C-alpha cells in the first residue's frame, strides 16, 4: 500500500455506530479510490461480542467493496489500539502515502485529513535496475512511451 493513503477501521458486526459508519465509508471509498485511497475493515466480533466475525456476511450486509478481515483474537486490531488507553469502535487509523500513522480516530474519519493526504504527491521510489536492463527492455520492446513507468536509461 506504499504510495496510497490508507485507513484501517476496527469494527464489530453488533456495533450500531460501526454499521452506520460502514455505509458512509463505502461511499467515500468509491469516491476516493481512484486517487490512491485504500480502505481495510478489521472485524473483531460477530453479531455478539462472543461470536466470531463473519467478513462475508458483513461485506454482503453492508454492501462493501473494500477488504474485510476477521480478527476475533484481536491479533491484528491490537496493532491499531493505543495501548493503555480506552478503546472504542468504530476506530480508525489513517496512514499517509509513506505509511506513517497520521491520526487515530474514533467514531468518524476526518475526511478533510484524508483528502489533504491524497492531495500530496506519492513518494518517489528508486528501484534498482539489473545490469542488463537496457538489453531486457530492447528484447521486450519496452520504450520510453510504454506503459511501464518510470523509464530510466541506464
Amino acid at each position: 500500500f506504499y504510495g496510497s493513503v490508507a485507513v484501517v477501521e476496527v469494527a464489530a458486526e453488533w456495533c450500531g455506530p460501526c454499521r452506520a459508519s460502514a455505509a458512509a465509508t463505502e461511499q467515500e471509498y468509491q469516491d476516493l479510490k481512484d486517487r490512491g485511497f485504500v480502505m481495510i475493515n478489521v472485524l473483531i466480533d460477530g453479531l455478539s461480542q462472543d461470536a466470531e466475525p463473519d467478513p462475508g456476511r458483513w461485506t454482503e450486509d453492508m454492501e462493501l467493496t473494500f477488504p474485510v478481515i476477521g480478527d476475533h483474537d484481536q491479533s491484528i486490531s491490537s496493532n491499531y489500539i493505543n495501548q493503555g488507553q480506552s478503546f472504542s469502535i468504530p476506530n480508525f487509523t489513517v496512514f499517509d502515502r509513506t505509511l506513517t500513522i497520521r491520526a487515530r480516530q474514533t467514531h468518524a474519519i476526518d475526511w478533510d485529513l484524508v483528502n489533504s493526504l491524497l492531495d500530496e504527491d506519492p513518494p518517489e521510489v528508486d528501484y534498482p535496475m539489473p545490469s542488463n536492463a537496457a538489453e531486457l527492455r530492447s528484447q521486450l520492446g519496452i520504450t520510453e512511451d510504454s506503459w511501464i513507468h518510470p523509464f530510466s536509461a541506464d
Side-chain angles (χ1 to χ4, degrees):
F1 299 112
Y2 189 81
S4 299
V5 173
V7 173
V8 174
E9 176 186 10
V10 178
E13 291 181 84
W14 56 261
C15 169
C18 299
R19 296 179 88 73
S21 169
T25 301
E26 174 63 27
Q27 183 58 54
E28 292 288 344
Y29 172 71
Q30 290 301 321
D31 292 345
L32 300 175
K33 67 182 181 179
D34 292 336
R35 292 180 55 204
F37 178 64
V38 174
M39 182 74 201
I40 301 171
N41 191 257
V42 179
L43 282 180
I44 58 173
D45 292 322
L47 296 174
S48 71
Q49 288 183 334
D50 297 329
E52 289 280 333
D54 184 338
R57 176 178 57 217
W58 179 254
T59 299
E60 186 176 318
D61 288 354
M62 299 293 104
E63 299 179 355
L64 303 177
T65 60
F66 51 80
V68 177
I69 302 166
D71 184 38
H72 195 58
D73 67 0
Q74 297 185 12
S75 60
I76 298 169
S77 58
S78 63
N79 293 297
Y80 302 100
I81 300 168
N82 283 330
Q83 300 300 319
Q85 296 182 4
S86 63
F87 176 70
S88 61
I89 53 176
N91 182 292
F92 305 92
T93 303
V94 180
F95 296 86
D96 67 15
R97 291 183 183 275
T98 64
L99 296 181
T100 300
I101 294 175
R102 295 296 293 270
R104 294 178 195 248
Q105 303 165 326
T106 56
H107 305 295
I109 298 173
D110 180 350
W111 292 109
D112 289 336
L113 171 62
V114 171
N115 276 293
S116 70
L117 294 172
L118 286 167
D119 288 340
E120 295 176 3
D121 291 331
E124 300 255 344
V125 179
D126 184 26
Y127 295 100
M129 299 300 286
S131 60
N132 64 340
E135 178 185 343
L136 291 171
R137 282 193 201 101
S138 176
Q139 289 175 358
L140 296 170
I142 298 172
T143 66
E144 289 187 45
D145 297 336
S146 75
W147 60 271
I148 299 174
H149 296 284
F151 185 87
S152 169
D154 295 322

